[in-house]
Amino acid sequence: MALTDQTSELPNQPEQIRTGPLTDRFGRRHTYLRVSVTDRCNLRCQYCMPAEGIEWTPRKDLLTYEEIVRIVRVLAGEGVNKVRITGGEPTVRKDIETLIAQVAAVSGIEEVAMTTNGTTLPKMAQRYRDAGLKTLNVSIDSLQPERFKQITRTDKMDTVLAGIESALAAGFAPLKINVVSMKGVNDDETADFVAFAKDRPINVRFIEFMPFEGNEWSQGKMFSYRDMLDAVMQRFEIEPLPHRPSEVAKDFKIVGGQGTVSFITSMTEDFCSDCNRIRLTATGDFKPCLFMLPNVSVRDRIRAGGEDQAILDALQESLAGKWEGHPGPQQLIRLKNASMIQIGG
Ligand code: SF4
């Protein structure tokens, strides 16, 4: 599949300095694979999906579980040790717990994580846990019913809250709660989310609003890391926790509580120099960066009868096009990219 290379957008491309298939031209080793399993979702969040919706991908074009597990096995053989399952909403794909179990069983995979909107958790949290899911992130952008409805264009807040309780009961600790912070939308709930996390094994993660196709990003909607910190510190005392290598979040302990707070500062203080992540889209393309277009189809190579080496070659070709870091928001809004729902965050 011919896919666009965006590296021409940026200057200062060095000569190749690789030391293996997981390493890019800038010496970054990619040990964290994010696998989108579907572009479908049962919510319609405004920042994620254009109002007019998207055209769902036909089933035959999606990677099968067997294909995904094969790709994971080959990459794990080179050093990939963490896999995150994303969507769309990954739990709308049938029997997702089967995929969780199969990926968790791959030799070398130390952590299987999943990001979900939480709607299936009331019934399924324990089954995901039993299948081998180690880390769970639940996305929820408001704790106010009317606002939740407005943001998600659905009426499922109680289900998501019940799902969070089920996930805690199933032993996901810390349970990660993802909040995309937007000025004029939910910035006034920042401290409420911290209160929600304070006395429980919850890590609330505030994510700066990022520009994607159709999500009407603007500088005015940006609630920055500094803004978030101010909002939290008006009601809570927090203390920084040590930074972990390749961890994108800035982590803080809530003084006097059990919970923690993190900030994902993609727009104001990026963490690209440390990037260890590669994405696999639901249709089987490697996507070297959240903001870059998918650039190599591993699915087509597998379906053409490619050996395992073809998977590694596809990864290397994809990483060869990876930039050193994403450009600023004004450039990002002009770039062609997919909607968040097609990327999986
Ligand atoms: S923006 Fe791209 S390069 Fe930067 S951390 Fe995210 S995925 Fe990595």
Side-chain angles (χ1 to χ4, degrees):
M1 185 186 291
L3 298 160
T4 312
D5 176 13
Q6 295 167 312
T7 50
S8 58
E9 301 276 349
L10 288 182
N12 302 328
Q13 303 296 328
E15 294 304 309
Q16 295 201 345
I17 50 164
R18 290 212 190 90
T19 55
L22 302 184
T23 305
D24 72 4
R25 297 169 300 159
F26 302 95
R28 296 173 296 198
R29 198 166 142 75
H30 294 72
T31 54
Y32 176 10
L33 178 70
R34 296 175 64 104
V35 181
S36 168
V37 293
T38 180
D39 53 6
R40 295 179 189 239
C41 187
N42 51 353
L43 302 184
R44 294 285 178 273
C45 295
Q46 295 196 26
Y47 65 81
C48 184
M49 197 189 300
E52 65 277 15
I54 62 164
E55 205 172 308
W56 303 127
T57 304
R59 186 65 189 263
K60 67 174 179 37
D61 293 341
L62 299 179
L63 285 177
T64 64
Y65 287 172
E66 198 181 8
E67 288 168 334
I68 292 172
V69 173
R70 179 178 172 202
I71 294 166
V72 169
R73 183 177 48 73
V74 170
L75 299 190
E78 295 295 324
V80 164
N81 54 25
K82 176 173 175 180
V83 173
R84 176 173 300 276
I85 298 172
T86 72
E89 168 51 36
T91 65
V92 302
R93 182 128 176 212
K94 198 161 177 277
D95 300 329
I96 194 69
E97 63 276 21
T98 306
L99 179 68
I100 293 169
Q102 290 174 352
V103 171
V106 171
S107 170
I109 297 301
E110 295 164 12
E111 180 177 348
V112 182
M114 182 165 74
T115 302
T116 173
N117 62 29
T119 51
T120 64
L121 293 177
K123 287 192 186 138
M124 298 296 293
Q126 190 64 55
R127 281 173 66 180
Y128 300 151
R129 185 82 183 158
D130 295 345
L133 191 68
K134 200 164 171 185
T135 315
L136 187 61
N137 292 48
V138 181
S139 302
I140 176 167
D141 296 326
S142 178
L143 298 169
Q144 299 176 9
E146 271 315 303
R147 186 177 283 172
F148 181 96
K149 206 168 169 179
Q150 201 186 347
I151 294 173
T152 63
R153 305 178 183 118
T154 55
D155 192 7
K156 294 192 171 155
M157 192 178 96
D158 288 345
T159 311
V160 177
L161 291 178
I164 288 172
E165 297 307 324
S166 302
L168 288 168
F172 288 102
L175 178 67
K176 299 183 176 194
I177 305 288
N178 290 356
V179 183
V180 177
S181 289
M182 293 166 275
K183 208 179 262 182
V185 177
N186 60 355
D187 54 325
D188 57 340
E189 289 189 67
T190 308
D192 294 344
F193 272 106
V194 179
F196 183 76
K198 182 168 179 264
D199 296 318
R200 300 196 283 179
I202 290 180
N203 169 229
V204 60
R205 301 162 74 81
F206 296 107
I207 302 166
E208 286 180 340
F209 186 38
M210 296 177 273
F212 288 98
E213 198 167 321
N215 77 353
E216 294 173 7
W217 184 93
S218 72
Q219 190 72 45
K221 284 191 196 155
M222 259 282 298
F223 194 53
S224 72
Y225 169 42
R226 293 286 147 195
D227 295 335
M228 296 175 197
L229 265 185
D230 285 348
V232 172
M233 288 181 346
Q234 278 175 19
R235 269 173 59 190
F236 296 94
E237 193 183 339
I238 55 173
E239 282 174 3
L241 291 166
H243 178 73
R244 289 164 287 146
S246 293
E247 171 55 57
V248 300
K250 295 175 174 61
D251 301 318
F252 293 79
K253 167 184 181 343
I254 308 169
V255 175
Q258 189 185 358
T260 53
V261 185
S262 301
F263 302 93
I264 321 286
T265 61
S266 325
M267 292 294 97
T268 58
E269 292 182 24
D270 76 54
F271 25 80
C272 302
S273 61
D274 233 9
C275 184
N276 68 344
R277 37 186 74 196
I278 178 87
R279 290 174 160 78
L280 181 62
T281 68
T283 50
D285 300 313
F286 279 128
K287 178 175 166 66
C289 166
L290 173 62
F291 295 109
M292 297 185 80
L293 290 170
N295 60 357
V296 180
S297 173
V298 64
R299 180 199 65 194
D300 290 355
R301 294 184 190 193
I302 290 174
R303 292 187 185 174
E307 302 289 329
D308 290 353
Q309 185 58 42
I311 295 172
L312 295 176
D313 291 346
L315 176 69
Q316 276 212 305
E317 283 172 42
S318 176
L319 287 178
K322 182 162 180 163
W323 51 28
E324 189 171 14
H326 70 74
Q330 296 311 329
Q331 258 179 291
L332 283 177
I333 34 182
R334 289 200 301 273
L335 283 182
K336 181 113 186 87
N337 200 346
S339 316
M340 186 67 121
I341 191 159
Q342 295 163 307
I343 298 169

Short mmCIF file of all heavy atoms in Angstrom, two decimals, residues 51-107:
data_model
loop_
_atom_site.label_atom_id
_atom_site.label_comp_id
_atom_site.label_asym_id
_atom_site.label_seq_id
_atom_site.Cartn_x
_atom_site.Cartn_y
_atom_site.Cartn_z
N ALA A 51 -18.39 14.91 13.94
CA ALA A 51 -19.84 14.81 14.18
C ALA A 51 -20.54 13.96 13.13
O ALA A 51 -21.49 13.23 13.42
CB ALA A 51 -20.44 16.21 14.22
N GLU A 52 -20.04 14.04 11.90
CA GLU A 52 -20.69 13.28 10.82
C GLU A 52 -20.32 11.80 10.87
O GLU A 52 -20.78 11.00 10.07
CB GLU A 52 -20.36 13.89 9.45
CG GLU A 52 -18.90 13.83 9.03
CD GLU A 52 -18.03 14.97 9.60
OE1 GLU A 52 -18.47 15.65 10.55
OE2 GLU A 52 -16.91 15.14 9.11
N GLY A 53 -19.48 11.41 11.85
CA GLY A 53 -19.06 10.02 11.98
C GLY A 53 -17.95 9.70 11.00
O GLY A 53 -17.46 10.56 10.27
N ILE A 54 -17.52 8.45 11.01
CA ILE A 54 -16.53 8.01 10.03
C ILE A 54 -17.07 6.76 9.36
O ILE A 54 -17.98 6.12 9.87
CB ILE A 54 -15.15 7.72 10.67
CG1 ILE A 54 -15.26 6.55 11.67
CG2 ILE A 54 -14.54 8.93 11.31
CD1 ILE A 54 -13.93 5.96 12.05
N GLU A 55 -16.48 6.44 8.25
CA GLU A 55 -16.91 5.22 7.56
C GLU A 55 -16.18 4.04 8.21
O GLU A 55 -14.95 4.03 8.26
CB GLU A 55 -16.51 5.34 6.09
CG GLU A 55 -17.37 4.50 5.20
CD GLU A 55 -17.06 4.81 3.74
OE1 GLU A 55 -17.09 6.00 3.38
OE2 GLU A 55 -16.77 3.86 3.01
N TRP A 56 -16.95 3.08 8.76
CA TRP A 56 -16.30 1.97 9.44
C TRP A 56 -15.55 1.09 8.44
O TRP A 56 -15.99 0.89 7.31
CB TRP A 56 -17.32 1.10 10.17
CG TRP A 56 -18.17 1.79 11.19
CD1 TRP A 56 -19.52 1.77 11.26
CD2 TRP A 56 -17.74 2.59 12.30
NE1 TRP A 56 -19.96 2.50 12.34
CE2 TRP A 56 -18.88 3.02 12.99
CE3 TRP A 56 -16.49 2.99 12.78
CZ2 TRP A 56 -18.83 3.82 14.13
CZ3 TRP A 56 -16.43 3.79 13.92
CH2 TRP A 56 -17.59 4.19 14.57
N THR A 57 -14.45 0.55 8.89
CA THR A 57 -13.65 -0.33 8.05
C THR A 57 -14.31 -1.70 7.91
O THR A 57 -14.74 -2.27 8.91
CB THR A 57 -12.26 -0.53 8.71
OG1 THR A 57 -11.70 0.76 8.91
CG2 THR A 57 -11.35 -1.37 7.86
N PRO A 58 -14.38 -2.23 6.69
CA PRO A 58 -14.94 -3.58 6.54
C PRO A 58 -14.12 -4.61 7.31
O PRO A 58 -12.89 -4.50 7.38
CB PRO A 58 -14.86 -3.85 5.04
CG PRO A 58 -14.56 -2.54 4.41
CD PRO A 58 -13.96 -1.64 5.43
N ARG A 59 -14.79 -5.61 7.85
CA ARG A 59 -14.16 -6.62 8.70
C ARG A 59 -12.96 -7.30 8.03
O ARG A 59 -11.93 -7.54 8.65
CB ARG A 59 -15.25 -7.66 9.06
CG ARG A 59 -14.84 -8.72 10.04
CD ARG A 59 -14.54 -8.12 11.39
NE ARG A 59 -13.95 -9.09 12.28
CZ ARG A 59 -14.64 -9.79 13.18
NH1 ARG A 59 -15.93 -9.60 13.31
NH2 ARG A 59 -14.03 -10.64 13.96
N LYS A 60 -13.12 -7.57 6.73
CA LYS A 60 -12.05 -8.32 6.04
C LYS A 60 -10.74 -7.53 5.99
O LYS A 60 -9.66 -8.09 5.79
CB LYS A 60 -12.50 -8.70 4.62
CG LYS A 60 -12.69 -7.51 3.71
CD LYS A 60 -12.99 -7.93 2.29
CE LYS A 60 -13.21 -6.77 1.34
NZ LYS A 60 -12.40 -5.57 1.48
N ASP A 61 -10.84 -6.21 6.14
CA ASP A 61 -9.62 -5.40 6.08
C ASP A 61 -8.89 -5.33 7.42
O ASP A 61 -7.76 -4.86 7.49
CB ASP A 61 -9.96 -3.97 5.63
CG ASP A 61 -10.44 -3.94 4.19
OD1 ASP A 61 -10.16 -4.91 3.46
OD2 ASP A 61 -11.10 -2.96 3.80
N LEU A 62 -9.59 -5.73 8.49
CA LEU A 62 -8.96 -5.69 9.81
C LEU A 62 -8.00 -6.86 9.98
O LEU A 62 -8.25 -7.95 9.47
CB LEU A 62 -10.02 -5.79 10.92
CG LEU A 62 -11.08 -4.70 10.98
CD1 LEU A 62 -12.05 -4.98 12.13
CD2 LEU A 62 -10.46 -3.32 11.14
N LEU A 63 -6.95 -6.62 10.75
CA LEU A 63 -6.09 -7.74 11.13
C LEU A 63 -6.90 -8.73 11.94
O LEU A 63 -7.71 -8.33 12.78
CB LEU A 63 -4.93 -7.26 11.99
CG LEU A 63 -3.78 -6.50 11.32
CD1 LEU A 63 -2.78 -6.06 12.38
CD2 LEU A 63 -3.09 -7.34 10.26
N THR A 64 -6.70 -10.02 11.71
CA THR A 64 -7.33 -11.03 12.56
C THR A 64 -6.54 -11.14 13.86
O THR A 64 -5.39 -10.68 13.93
CB THR A 64 -7.32 -12.41 11.87
OG1 THR A 64 -5.95 -12.81 11.72
CG2 THR A 64 -8.00 -12.37 10.51
N TYR A 65 -7.13 -11.77 14.87
CA TYR A 65 -6.40 -11.98 16.11
C TYR A 65 -5.13 -12.80 15.84
O TYR A 65 -4.07 -12.57 16.41
CB TYR A 65 -7.28 -12.66 17.16
CG TYR A 65 -8.35 -11.77 17.77
CD1 TYR A 65 -9.32 -12.30 18.61
CD2 TYR A 65 -8.37 -10.40 17.52
CE1 TYR A 65 -10.29 -11.49 19.18
CE2 TYR A 65 -9.34 -9.59 18.09
CZ TYR A 65 -10.30 -10.14 18.92
OH TYR A 65 -11.25 -9.33 19.49
N GLU A 66 -5.28 -13.77 14.98
CA GLU A 66 -4.12 -14.63 14.66
C GLU A 66 -2.98 -13.79 14.07
O GLU A 66 -1.81 -13.96 14.44
CB GLU A 66 -4.59 -15.67 13.64
CG GLU A 66 -3.70 -16.84 13.53
CD GLU A 66 -4.23 -17.83 12.48
OE1 GLU A 66 -5.20 -17.51 11.76
OE2 GLU A 66 -3.64 -18.91 12.37
N GLU A 67 -3.33 -12.86 13.18
CA GLU A 67 -2.30 -12.01 12.58
C GLU A 67 -1.67 -11.08 13.62
O GLU A 67 -0.45 -10.89 13.64
CB GLU A 67 -2.91 -11.19 11.43
CG GLU A 67 -3.24 -12.03 10.20
CD GLU A 67 -4.11 -11.31 9.17
OE1 GLU A 67 -4.87 -10.38 9.55
OE2 GLU A 67 -4.06 -11.68 7.99
N ILE A 68 -2.52 -10.54 14.48
CA ILE A 68 -1.99 -9.64 15.52
C ILE A 68 -1.00 -10.40 16.42
O ILE A 68 0.10 -9.93 16.71
CB ILE A 68 -3.13 -9.03 16.38
CG1 ILE A 68 -3.97 -8.08 15.53
CG2 ILE A 68 -2.58 -8.31 17.61
CD1 ILE A 68 -5.25 -7.58 16.21
N VAL A 69 -1.41 -11.59 16.83
CA VAL A 69 -0.56 -12.35 17.75
C VAL A 69 0.76 -12.73 17.07
O VAL A 69 1.83 -12.69 17.68
CB VAL A 69 -1.31 -13.60 18.28
CG1 VAL A 69 -0.38 -14.49 19.09
CG2 VAL A 69 -2.50 -13.17 19.12
N ARG A 70 0.69 -13.02 15.80
CA ARG A 70 1.93 -13.35 15.08
C ARG A 70 2.87 -12.13 15.06
O ARG A 70 4.07 -12.25 15.31
CB ARG A 70 1.60 -13.78 13.64
CG ARG A 70 2.84 -14.10 12.87
CD ARG A 70 2.53 -14.58 11.45
NE ARG A 70 3.76 -14.68 10.69
CZ ARG A 70 3.81 -14.67 9.37
NH1 ARG A 70 2.69 -14.58 8.66
NH2 ARG A 70 4.96 -14.75 8.75
N ILE A 71 2.32 -10.97 14.76
CA ILE A 71 3.15 -9.75 14.73
C ILE A 71 3.76 -9.51 16.12
O ILE A 71 4.94 -9.21 16.26
CB ILE A 71 2.31 -8.54 14.25
CG1 ILE A 71 1.90 -8.74 12.79
CG2 ILE A 71 3.09 -7.23 14.42
CD1 ILE A 71 0.80 -7.79 12.31
N VAL A 72 2.93 -9.66 17.16
CA VAL A 72 3.43 -9.45 18.53
C VAL A 72 4.55 -10.44 18.83
O VAL A 72 5.59 -10.08 19.38
CB VAL A 72 2.28 -9.59 19.55
CG1 VAL A 72 2.82 -9.63 20.97
CG2 VAL A 72 1.28 -8.44 19.41
N ARG A 73 4.35 -11.69 18.44
CA ARG A 73 5.37 -12.71 18.73
C ARG A 73 6.70 -12.36 18.05
O ARG A 73 7.76 -12.43 18.67
CB ARG A 73 4.86 -14.08 18.26
CG ARG A 73 5.80 -15.23 18.56
CD ARG A 73 5.23 -16.58 18.16
NE ARG A 73 4.67 -16.63 16.81
CZ ARG A 73 5.37 -16.62 15.68
NH1 ARG A 73 6.70 -16.57 15.72
NH2 ARG A 73 4.78 -16.66 14.50
N VAL A 74 6.61 -11.94 16.79
CA VAL A 74 7.85 -11.61 16.07
C VAL A 74 8.54 -10.40 16.70
O VAL A 74 9.76 -10.39 16.91
CB VAL A 74 7.53 -11.35 14.57
CG1 VAL A 74 8.74 -10.78 13.84
CG2 VAL A 74 7.07 -12.65 13.91
N LEU A 75 7.76 -9.38 17.06
CA LEU A 75 8.37 -8.18 17.65
C LEU A 75 8.88 -8.46 19.06
O LEU A 75 9.90 -7.92 19.48
CB LEU A 75 7.37 -7.02 17.64
CG LEU A 75 6.87 -6.58 16.25
CD1 LEU A 75 6.09 -5.27 16.36
CD2 LEU A 75 8.02 -6.41 15.26
N ALA A 76 8.16 -9.30 19.79
CA ALA A 76 8.62 -9.64 21.15
C ALA A 76 9.96 -10.37 21.08
O ALA A 76 10.81 -10.22 21.96
CB ALA A 76 7.58 -10.51 21.86
N GLY A 77 10.17 -11.11 20.00
CA GLY A 77 11.45 -11.80 19.82
C GLY A 77 12.61 -10.82 19.69
O GLY A 77 13.77 -11.16 19.93
N GLU A 78 12.30 -9.58 19.32
CA GLU A 78 13.35 -8.56 19.17
C GLU A 78 13.43 -7.64 20.38
O GLU A 78 14.30 -6.78 20.46
CB GLU A 78 13.07 -7.70 17.92
CG GLU A 78 13.15 -8.47 16.62
CD GLU A 78 14.56 -8.98 16.34
OE1 GLU A 78 15.54 -8.29 16.67
OE2 GLU A 78 14.67 -10.10 15.80
N GLY A 79 12.45 -7.75 21.31
CA GLY A 79 12.55 -6.93 22.51
C GLY A 79 11.31 -6.12 22.88
O GLY A 79 11.30 -5.45 23.90
N VAL A 80 10.26 -6.16 22.04
CA VAL A 80 9.03 -5.49 22.47
C VAL A 80 8.50 -6.22 23.71
O VAL A 80 8.41 -7.45 23.72
CB VAL A 80 7.96 -5.50 21.33
CG1 VAL A 80 6.57 -5.17 21.87
CG2 VAL A 80 8.35 -4.50 20.25
N ASN A 81 8.21 -5.46 24.76
CA ASN A 81 7.78 -6.12 26.01
C ASN A 81 6.44 -5.61 26.54
O ASN A 81 5.93 -6.13 27.53
CB ASN A 81 8.86 -6.01 27.09
CG ASN A 81 9.29 -4.57 27.32
OD1 ASN A 81 8.53 -3.65 27.06
ND2 ASN A 81 10.51 -4.39 27.79
N LYS A 82 5.90 -4.58 25.91
CA LYS A 82 4.61 -4.07 26.37
C LYS A 82 3.69 -3.87 25.17
O LYS A 82 4.11 -3.35 24.13
CB LYS A 82 4.82 -2.72 27.09
CG LYS A 82 3.51 -2.07 27.52
CD LYS A 82 3.75 -0.83 28.37
CE LYS A 82 2.41 -0.15 28.67
NZ LYS A 82 2.57 1.07 29.50
N VAL A 83 2.44 -4.29 25.33
CA VAL A 83 1.44 -4.13 24.27
C VAL A 83 0.22 -3.45 24.88
O VAL A 83 -0.26 -3.87 25.93
CB VAL A 83 1.02 -5.49 23.67
CG1 VAL A 83 -0.13 -5.33 22.69
CG2 VAL A 83 2.21 -6.17 22.98
N ARG A 84 -0.25 -2.41 24.23
CA ARG A 84 -1.52 -1.80 24.64
C ARG A 84 -2.56 -2.05 23.56
O ARG A 84 -2.30 -1.83 22.37
CB ARG A 84 -1.37 -0.29 24.87
CG ARG A 84 -2.74 0.39 25.20
CD ARG A 84 -2.58 1.84 25.60
NE ARG A 84 -1.74 1.99 26.77
CZ ARG A 84 -2.18 1.88 28.03
NH1 ARG A 84 -3.45 1.62 28.27
NH2 ARG A 84 -1.34 2.02 29.03
N ILE A 85 -3.73 -2.51 23.97
CA ILE A 85 -4.82 -2.76 23.05
C ILE A 85 -5.73 -1.52 23.07
O ILE A 85 -6.18 -1.10 24.14
CB ILE A 85 -5.57 -4.04 23.45
CG1 ILE A 85 -4.60 -5.23 23.36
CG2 ILE A 85 -6.79 -4.26 22.56
CD1 ILE A 85 -5.16 -6.53 23.90
N THR A 86 -5.96 -0.95 21.89
CA THR A 86 -6.77 0.27 21.79
C THR A 86 -7.79 0.11 20.67
O THR A 86 -7.85 -0.92 20.00
CB THR A 86 -5.88 1.50 21.47
OG1 THR A 86 -5.43 1.41 20.12
CG2 THR A 86 -4.68 1.61 22.39
N GLY A 87 -8.56 1.16 20.44
CA GLY A 87 -9.53 1.15 19.35
C GLY A 87 -9.29 2.37 18.48
O GLY A 87 -8.15 2.78 18.29
N GLY A 88 -10.41 3.05 18.15
CA GLY A 88 -11.79 2.90 18.54
C GLY A 88 -11.94 2.46 20.00
O GLY A 88 -11.13 2.77 20.84
N GLU A 89 -13.01 1.75 20.23
CA GLU A 89 -13.23 1.15 21.54
C GLU A 89 -12.93 -0.35 21.40
O GLU A 89 -13.68 -1.08 20.75
CB GLU A 89 -14.67 1.40 22.00
CG GLU A 89 -15.11 0.60 23.20
CD GLU A 89 -14.13 0.69 24.40
OE1 GLU A 89 -13.55 1.76 24.63
OE2 GLU A 89 -13.95 -0.34 25.07
N PRO A 90 -11.82 -0.80 21.99
CA PRO A 90 -11.39 -2.19 21.73
C PRO A 90 -12.39 -3.24 22.18
O PRO A 90 -12.46 -4.32 21.60
CB PRO A 90 -10.08 -2.31 22.51
CG PRO A 90 -10.10 -1.21 23.52
CD PRO A 90 -10.90 -0.10 22.90
N THR A 91 -13.19 -2.91 23.21
CA THR A 91 -14.07 -3.95 23.74
C THR A 91 -15.31 -4.18 22.87
O THR A 91 -16.08 -5.10 23.16
CB THR A 91 -14.49 -3.64 25.18
OG1 THR A 91 -15.29 -2.45 25.17
CG2 THR A 91 -13.29 -3.43 26.08
N VAL A 92 -15.50 -3.36 21.82
CA VAL A 92 -16.62 -3.68 20.93
C VAL A 92 -16.22 -4.77 19.93
O VAL A 92 -17.07 -5.32 19.23
CB VAL A 92 -17.19 -2.44 20.17
CG1 VAL A 92 -17.66 -1.37 21.13
CG2 VAL A 92 -16.20 -1.89 19.16
N ARG A 93 -14.93 -5.06 19.87
CA ARG A 93 -14.53 -6.19 19.00
C ARG A 93 -14.81 -7.48 19.76
O ARG A 93 -14.49 -7.62 20.94
CB ARG A 93 -13.05 -6.07 18.63
CG ARG A 93 -12.60 -7.18 17.71
CD ARG A 93 -11.92 -6.75 16.47
NE ARG A 93 -11.46 -7.90 15.72
CZ ARG A 93 -10.39 -7.94 14.96
NH1 ARG A 93 -9.65 -6.86 14.83
NH2 ARG A 93 -10.05 -9.03 14.30
N LYS A 94 -15.39 -8.45 19.04
CA LYS A 94 -15.86 -9.68 19.66
C LYS A 94 -14.73 -10.42 20.40
O LYS A 94 -13.63 -10.54 19.88
CB LYS A 94 -16.44 -10.57 18.55
CG LYS A 94 -17.32 -11.66 19.02
CD LYS A 94 -18.20 -12.16 17.86
CE LYS A 94 -19.05 -13.32 18.32
NZ LYS A 94 -18.37 -14.60 18.28
N ASP A 95 -15.04 -10.90 21.57
CA ASP A 95 -14.12 -11.75 22.35
C ASP A 95 -12.74 -11.14 22.54
O ASP A 95 -11.72 -11.81 22.37
CB ASP A 95 -13.95 -13.13 21.68
CG ASP A 95 -15.27 -13.87 21.56
OD1 ASP A 95 -16.14 -13.66 22.44
OD2 ASP A 95 -15.43 -14.63 20.60
N ILE A 96 -12.70 -9.87 22.91
CA ILE A 96 -11.41 -9.20 23.07
C ILE A 96 -10.57 -9.89 24.14
O ILE A 96 -9.34 -9.88 24.09
CB ILE A 96 -11.60 -7.69 23.36
CG1 ILE A 96 -10.28 -6.92 23.19
CG2 ILE A 96 -12.18 -7.44 24.75
CD1 ILE A 96 -9.78 -6.82 21.80
N GLU A 97 -11.24 -10.54 25.10
CA GLU A 97 -10.48 -11.22 26.16
C GLU A 97 -9.65 -12.38 25.59
O GLU A 97 -8.62 -12.74 26.16
CB GLU A 97 -11.39 -11.68 27.31
CG GLU A 97 -12.45 -12.70 26.97
CD GLU A 97 -13.72 -12.08 26.40
OE1 GLU A 97 -13.68 -10.94 25.88
OE2 GLU A 97 -14.77 -12.77 26.43
N THR A 98 -10.10 -12.92 24.45
CA THR A 98 -9.31 -13.98 23.80
C THR A 98 -7.98 -13.40 23.31
O THR A 98 -6.91 -13.99 23.50
CB THR A 98 -10.09 -14.55 22.59
OG1 THR A 98 -11.36 -14.96 23.06
CG2 THR A 98 -9.37 -15.71 21.94
N LEU A 99 -8.05 -12.22 22.70
CA LEU A 99 -6.82 -11.59 22.23
C LEU A 99 -5.92 -11.22 23.41
O LEU A 99 -4.70 -11.43 23.35
CB LEU A 99 -7.14 -10.33 21.40
CG LEU A 99 -5.89 -9.61 20.88
CD1 LEU A 99 -5.18 -10.44 19.82
CD2 LEU A 99 -6.23 -8.24 20.31
N ILE A 100 -6.53 -10.69 24.47
CA ILE A 100 -5.73 -10.33 25.66
C ILE A 100 -4.95 -11.56 26.13
O ILE A 100 -3.74 -11.49 26.37
CB ILE A 100 -6.65 -9.82 26.80
CG1 ILE A 100 -7.28 -8.48 26.43
CG2 ILE A 100 -5.87 -9.70 28.12
CD1 ILE A 100 -8.40 -8.02 27.36
N ALA A 101 -5.64 -12.69 26.25
CA ALA A 101 -4.99 -13.91 26.75
C ALA A 101 -3.89 -14.36 25.80
O ALA A 101 -2.80 -14.76 26.24
CB ALA A 101 -6.04 -15.01 26.93
N GLN A 102 -4.14 -14.28 24.51
CA GLN A 102 -3.13 -14.75 23.55
C GLN A 102 -1.90 -13.85 23.54
O GLN A 102 -0.78 -14.33 23.45
CB GLN A 102 -3.75 -14.83 22.14
CG GLN A 102 -4.75 -15.97 22.04
CD GLN A 102 -5.50 -15.98 20.70
OE1 GLN A 102 -5.37 -15.07 19.89
NE2 GLN A 102 -6.29 -17.02 20.48
N VAL A 103 -2.11 -12.56 23.65
CA VAL A 103 -0.96 -11.64 23.67
C VAL A 103 -0.19 -11.80 24.97
O VAL A 103 1.04 -11.82 24.99
CB VAL A 103 -1.43 -10.18 23.47
CG1 VAL A 103 -0.29 -9.20 23.71
CG2 VAL A 103 -1.99 -9.99 22.06
N ALA A 104 -0.93 -11.95 26.08
CA ALA A 104 -0.27 -12.10 27.40
C ALA A 104 0.59 -13.37 27.44
O ALA A 104 1.56 -13.44 28.18
CB ALA A 104 -1.32 -12.13 28.51
N ALA A 105 0.21 -14.35 26.63
CA ALA A 105 0.95 -15.62 26.65
C ALA A 105 2.21 -15.59 25.77
O ALA A 105 3.00 -16.54 25.79
CB ALA A 105 0.02 -16.75 26.17
N VAL A 106 2.41 -14.53 25.02
CA VAL A 106 3.59 -14.47 24.14
C VAL A 106 4.84 -14.29 24.99
O VAL A 106 4.90 -13.41 25.86
CB VAL A 106 3.45 -13.30 23.12
CG1 VAL A 106 4.76 -13.09 22.37
CG2 VAL A 106 2.31 -13.56 22.15
N SER A 107 5.83 -15.09 24.73
CA SER A 107 7.08 -15.03 25.49
C SER A 107 7.73 -13.65 25.29
O SER A 107 7.87 -13.18 24.16
CB SER A 107 7.99 -16.15 24.99
OG SER A 107 9.26 -15.99 25.51
#
